[in-house]
Amino acid sequence: MSFLKPLTRTPRSRWTTSTLRTLATEASTTRPARDCTRITPPYAKLVSNLEKVKRVLDNRPLTLSEKILYSHLTNPEEVKPVRGQTYLKLSPDRVAMQDASAQMAILQFMLAGMPTTAVPSSIHCDHLIVGHKGAEQDLVNSIENNKEIFNFLQSAAEKYGMSFWKPGSGIIHQIVLENYAAPGLLMLGTDSHTPNAGGLGAIAIGVGGADAVDAMANIPWELKAPEVIGIKLTGKLNGWTSPKDVILHLAGKLTVRGGTGHIIEYFGPGIDTLSCSGMGTICNMGAEVGATTSLFPFVNSMSSYLHATGRGPVAEAARQHANFLRADEGAHYDKVIEVNLSDLEPHINGPFTPDLATPLSKFAEVVKKNGWKDEVKVGLIGSCTNSSYEDMDRVTSLAKQAVEKGIKSKAGFFITPGSEQIRATIERDGQTGVLEQVGGVVLANACGPCIGQWTRDDLNDKEENAILTSFNRNFKNRNDGNATTMNFLTSPELVTAMSLSGKLTFNPLTDPLIDASGNEFMLQPPYGDNLPQNGFIPGNLSYTPPDISQPNPAIQINVDPKSTRLQVLEPFGPGPVGEFENLQVMLKVKGKCTTDHISAAGPWLKYKGHLENIAHNTLNGALNADNEQVNVVKNVFTGKEGAIHEVGREYQALGKPWIVVTDHNYGEGSAREHAALQMRYLGCPLILARSFARIHQTNLKKQGVLPLTFADPADWEKMHGGDVIESTEGVADLVAGRPGKNDTPEGGEILLNVRRPDGEKYVIKALHTMSKDQVEWFRKGSALNAARG
Ligand code: MIC
Ligand code: SF4
């Protein structure tokens, strides 16, 4: 029985339902007017800074990325920025941290000895919440299981005057979009998907905790001036295509490395047709091509979004500085890609890598060619990437058609709302009820299955199966810890349609569904509102911290020395004074080695605040090129094989520094600095890669590890585990601040003299990209050591 209205497209088409979900925490009231003083970027100052930089640059036209970045230079007249070359010293406006990465960031910030943070900062409890039965029960269990961490984070927030978003409040990037992002803002977030705020015109960059500590401790934050990829959007999305398809398509074109060292800047008439949250989705997943960040210029949909989320004064201030918030006429992009939205097809990307893009019309063929089982086991929508009001409204338009035809989702179907505000608003407007009627289970407002915090009851261990998600990342093992789960990324609309059919080959544009009486019917394309016609409601107000949080020095932050989950950090020892000698090559890694391979999430998330314990997962997903085994390496001194972290600890106990040789894009993926900290902690002072992902490369430098790349990537073939770097040439000059033999503006050369176990010798030419400040971190042993003097 249903009280559903017939399918209509009337303007007030909010969804009537027979069910009303009640959450114990429910207490919807209207949020009081916001105090926007701390969230409005200091436009007048930024514009005046930019004028100074423009003079240095002979008034050449600038891209929007350059305008925002250069206007945040700590000393605007100090340098003449050259893209791809100059290290910029920047003063970010804000910092956001999520619960998994905030632990290390705060442990490091505590060492800085500051009474409060230099810029407004926020903590978001989202990653540690496990999705299983549904929001209410999962939240209670997760709070119980993580109370030590949540208490630690809360007391740090209170002590230092940070905004604390408690468990259940929502996912960091959605909360930032709803509350803190603003056109022209420069913010750092300890999470790789921080660029989500580019949908609201901010330059928002994912970093490791140590970088966030720079901004919080008022130390200029360094970034090499990125090059700029311009994406020209024309036309208008239609039918089944959604904003997600823009980035799924671009990921296919650019690949997981294509954005490295670049900001992706969107322009062209097509941007006026997109919603602000849709642009957020596009920017969010720019992380998957390695881009420093992505952003859109200030457009009307941003203004509407700011008004709808109680930030009218920010919209008005932005409007007054509209010229500043768009690229200059004639600005030059390093590369331009054009995407005609009118012609864009829906895409499905994966499995196991986000850049394996297949247009929907070809997907069934791919499924058949690969012999994959034609079944969608579970569909998951939401996450920081796709949980806007618009997303939820559009998928509801599909679910409603199914309910009216008396059918339910054939696949398991889960929904993770991005924030309490979205959860409450879609409950009020009826979307939740419809999604539940079709079989959906609403999980807590948190990351859950996106980061492996997912208890799956529907699967026999190691059974090959396919899941479809509207998330952004799909490395092996990521969602459920099962390497045989094929995880495909797509829009929430396609996840929903394909879950309804239960078939991996289903194409809603061409294939019918079968209704309750056995008759075929075609799903009509999704539709929905960008913003709620009756405004957002905040839901449970207790989730929303005050707009301004004062520090309270009286608060004690307690770390129990017996804790298995939190451990006070001991500063690392100093770096080398001269050349390296006798570095043992412990391992050569082959193929993809993301931060998930270096420091896995899922069950390991609970040790994010305990370096010694989390170090047990070090490189446990890495494929050893010499024996083709994952996480198995030989200790050359004992001849015994062991897990990588074990052999690392054994070498360390013998006083033998060791290194790893890695493939392309090493450290792809997340911002987690554990992937760098753990290597340093276990005694690895240098990593030699074919190439690095940006955030991870900086994280290594921050923790005193020297990242080198092969001058000739083919040399990777030459090296093997068991080789020894007998000596280096160039490190002594580097640490002494002397110019090296072949220095370039981008860095310099280091020679590695290597000996094989059979005595044969060879030389590898390697390159570094260390700036003056980074050399100082390396010399002192870490950035934090350098900051403490
Ligand atoms: C992710 O999406 O991989 C994460 C979990 O959000 C990470 C952060 C982390 O590892 O702590 C990210 O993207 O940076
Ligand atoms: Fe959370 Fe997933 Fe977004 Fe990372 S990508 S912040 S894990 S929802």
Side-chain angles (χ1 to χ4, degrees):
M1 185 180 69
S2 151
F3 301 116
L4 285 167
K5 285 194 289 189
L7 179 62
T8 55
R9 293 195 72 144
T10 57
R12 273 295 312 130
S13 66
R14 291 323 81 214
W15 319 96
T16 327
T17 70
S18 58
T19 45
L20 247 194
R21 224 167 60 82
T22 45
L23 198 71
T25 48
E26 180 62 29
S28 300
T29 35
T30 310
R31 196 185 157 153
R34 307 267 322 250
D35 177 342
C36 291
T37 46
R38 285 195 101 195
I39 53 175
T40 309
Y43 290 124
K45 181 172 150 223
L46 297 177
V47 169
S48 118
N49 283 353
L50 188 64
E51 274 161 16
K52 294 182 192 150
V53 183
K54 282 207 146 187
R55 277 200 291 275
V56 179
L57 290 172
D58 306 324
N59 283 317
R60 75 166 164 83
L62 299 178
T63 61
L64 176 60
S65 324
E66 289 177 296
K67 289 168 84 171
I68 301 181
L69 273 184
Y70 301 166
S71 65
H72 283 87
L73 280 164
T74 310
N75 297 308
E77 275 146 322
E78 203 179 56
V79 290
K80 181 171 183 175
V82 180
R83 294 187 214 159
Q85 289 190 10
T86 320
Y87 274 98
L88 306 174
K89 287 196 191 317
L90 301 163
S91 298
D93 300 309
R94 160 172 297 278
V95 166
M97 295 168 279
Q98 38 89 342
D99 51 2
S101 52
Q103 299 171 51
M104 232 6 121
I106 291 195
L107 288 165
Q108 294 178 79
F109 183 68
M110 282 161 64
L111 294 177
M114 308 260 304
T116 179
T117 57
V119 295
S121 304
S122 53
I123 298 178
H124 305 264
C125 298
D126 52 3
H127 282 59
L128 296 177
I129 296 152
V130 177
H132 185 199
K133 300 270 185 220
E136 247 167 290
Q137 200 180 325
D138 294 352
L139 196 56
V140 171
N141 293 344
S142 297
I143 291 175
E144 179 55 29
N145 295 337
N146 294 291
K147 54 176 184 283
E148 181 185 359
I149 304 301
F150 294 143
N151 286 339
F152 166 75
L153 294 176
Q154 183 164 10
S155 54
E158 284 168 7
K159 184 177 183 74
Y160 298 120
M162 304 168 178
S163 304
F164 183 69
W165 291 82
K166 65 185 186 179
S169 57
I171 307 174
I172 176 168
H173 310 304
Q174 183 65 30
I175 299 280
V176 165
L177 197 72
E178 288 173 1
N179 295 276
Y180 301 132
L185 187 84
L186 174 64
M187 69 170 282
L188 303 183
T190 59
D191 190 283
S192 62
H193 295 107
T194 304
N196 191 66
L200 201 32
I203 288 210
I205 304 184
V207 295
D211 287 62
V213 171
D214 283 352
M216 293 192 291
N218 210 12
I219 300 169
W221 178 69
E222 206 179 53
L223 176 76
K224 187 179 283 175
E227 298 188 62
V228 188
I229 300 178
I231 308 283
K232 182 173 181 190
L233 298 182
T234 57
K236 192 174 186 316
L237 295 171
N238 54 69
W240 283 86
T241 312
S242 80
K244 182 68 163 285
D245 296 302
V246 175
I247 188 65
L248 292 173
H249 163 73
L250 283 172
K253 274 191 122 98
L254 287 167
T255 80
V256 289
R257 288 197 279 145
T260 312
H262 290 79
I263 292 188
I264 299 182
E265 184 173 314
Y266 292 82
F267 69 100
I271 54 178
D272 291 315
T273 66
L274 297 172
S275 66
C276 175
S277 50
M279 295 189 285
T281 297
I282 297 172
C283 290
N284 177 303
M285 218 188 130
E288 273 42 67
V289 297
T292 304
T293 193
S294 302
L295 91 157
F296 281 83
F298 180 53
V299 285
N300 282 336
S301 60
M302 293 183 187
S303 186
S304 315
Y305 186 79
L306 284 167
H307 279 285
T309 49
R311 292 171 292 167
V314 179
E316 286 323 307
R319 206 168 274 291
Q320 282 163 23
H321 296 89
N323 268 338
F324 169 58
L325 299 169
R326 66 171 83 97
D328 293 338
E329 195 74 43
H332 170 75
Y333 295 97
D334 295 283
K335 177 176 180 178
V336 174
I337 300 177
E338 185 165 338
V339 180
N340 183 344
L341 300 174
S342 307
D343 298 342
L344 189 66
E345 251 204 82
H347 277 66
I348 300 180
N349 290 22
F352 308 137
T353 185
D355 56 353
L356 188 55
T358 310
L360 176 62
S361 58
K362 303 266 172 334
F363 193 67
E365 229 171 278
V366 172
V367 173
K368 286 181 197 142
K369 208 171 98 210
N370 284 295
W372 294 330
K373 191 166 166 196
D374 190 8
E375 182 189 25
V376 178
K377 197 84 179 153
V378 184
L380 301 114
I381 59 169
S383 91
C384 66
T385 325
N386 268 125
S387 59
S388 63
Y389 188 85
E390 181 182 27
D391 291 332
M392 296 301 163
D393 210 32
R394 283 170 63 88
V395 298
T396 302
S397 75
L398 300 172
K400 188 174 182 216
Q401 297 176 52
V403 172
E404 285 171 353
K405 297 284 183 184
I407 60 166
K408 286 195 168 212
S409 172
K410 291 244 171 24
F413 190 49
F414 292 96
I415 303 111
T416 39
S419 70
E420 169 64 4
Q421 175 167 286
I422 294 283
R423 184 207 65 76
T425 310
I426 63 172
E427 180 170 313
R428 177 201 65 192
D429 290 350
Q431 290 93 338
T432 306
V434 176
L435 294 173
E436 286 179 338
Q437 284 185 14
V438 88
V441 176
V442 180
L443 299 175
N445 312 317
C447 301
C450 180
I451 188 54
Q453 297 279 52
W454 184 20
T455 308
R456 255 182 109 169
D457 296 328
D458 66 316
L459 203 64
N460 300 323
D461 209 24
K462 306 280 180 261
E463 179 189 338
E464 183 172 298
N465 72 107
I467 63 171
L468 285 177
T469 81
S470 73
F471 308 162
N472 46 26
R473 198 163 269 170
N474 59 349
F475 303 141
K476 225 176 222 170
N477 286 315
R478 179 170 171 99
N479 304 104
D480 58 1
N482 182 1
T484 53
T485 293
M486 292 190 292
N487 40 12
F488 297 94
L489 306 168
T490 187
S491 63
E493 293 89 333
L494 267 196
V495 173
T496 307
M498 292 174 73
S499 299
L500 289 172
S501 88
K503 283 193 156 69
L504 202 54
T505 53
F506 180 71
N507 177 351
L509 274 88
T510 52
D511 304 338
L513 289 174
I514 310 289
D515 72 14
S517 342
N519 300 319
E520 292 188 343
F521 73 100
M522 294 297 292
L523 276 176
Q524 296 309 303
Y527 65 91
D529 291 338
N530 298 346
L531 292 166
Q533 294 176 14
N534 285 349
F536 283 112
I537 47 167
N540 182 343
L541 269 180
S542 80
Y543 282 126
T544 315
D547 288 323
I548 296 178
S549 313
Q550 297 299 343
N552 181 354
I555 301 271
Q556 287 288 330
I557 306 177
N558 296 320
V559 178
D560 179 353
K562 290 195 291 300
S563 169
T564 55
R565 301 200 50 184
L566 284 172
Q567 184 184 43
V568 172
L569 278 180
E570 290 296 330
F572 293 126
V577 281
E579 299 295 343
F580 281 116
E581 280 173 15
N582 294 321
L583 296 175
Q584 189 66 46
V585 181
M586 190 231 272
L587 168 79
K588 171 157 117 175
V589 178
K590 182 168 148 187
K592 218 180 192 32
C593 194
T594 70
T595 51
D596 279 17
H597 296 77
I598 310 169
S599 176
W604 294 96
L605 283 177
K606 58 176 167 301
Y607 298 123
K608 285 273 190 177
H610 200 292
L611 186 52
E612 188 181 335
N613 284 347
I614 199 166
H616 284 86
N617 75 0
T618 305
L619 283 165
N620 72 6
L623 178 65
N624 184 338
D626 296 312
N627 63 12
E628 295 284 334
Q629 295 189 68
V630 173
N631 195 23
V632 178
V633 70
K634 191 159 100 191
N635 177 330
V636 291
F637 301 104
T638 62
K640 284 207 196 104
E641 286 191 331
I644 294 168
H645 84 94
E646 280 167 1
V647 176
R649 286 179 211 259
E650 288 161 13
Y651 285 2
Q652 194 179 32
L654 291 171
K656 305 270 183 208
W658 53 273
I659 74 145
V660 294
V661 172
T662 63
D663 219 323
H664 275 302
N665 214 21
Y666 178 71
E668 172 188 343
S670 84
R672 68 188 73 144
E673 63 191 331
H674 299 75
L677 274 163
Q678 290 171 219
M679 302 297 281
R680 176 79 165 92
Y681 176 74
L682 294 177
C684 169
L686 184 159
I687 291 183
L688 180 57
R690 276 180 152 161
S691 60
F692 286 97
R694 174 194 62 89
I695 306 180
H696 185 60
Q697 188 177 36
T698 310
N699 286 345
L700 289 169
K701 291 175 176 175
K702 284 265 166 190
Q703 302 305 339
V705 180
L706 182 62
L708 298 181
T709 50
F710 289 99
D712 176 2
D715 279 353
W716 176 88
E717 306 286 349
K718 283 194 195 155
M719 294 189 86
H720 295 282
D723 293 357
V724 175
I725 300 176
E726 289 189 311
S727 62
T728 54
E729 289 172 46
V731 175
D733 283 345
L734 186 70
V735 290
R738 289 189 295 266
K741 256 188 275 158
N742 294 315
D743 281 358
T744 64
E746 283 85 37
E749 197 175 279
I750 306 277
L751 295 182
L752 310 174
N753 300 312
V754 196
R755 176 172 42 82
R756 294 192 202 284
D758 65 5
E760 191 199 332
K761 301 199 174 184
Y762 61 94
V763 180
I764 296 282
K765 201 198 293 176
L767 302 173
H768 76 79
T769 55
M770 302 284 280
S771 71
K772 229 168 111 209
D773 285 10
Q774 293 168 346
V775 170
E776 193 57 11
W777 308 340
F778 180 54
R779 228 166 48 81
K780 291 274 174 55
S782 73
L784 209 65
N785 289 357
R788 295 163 82 218

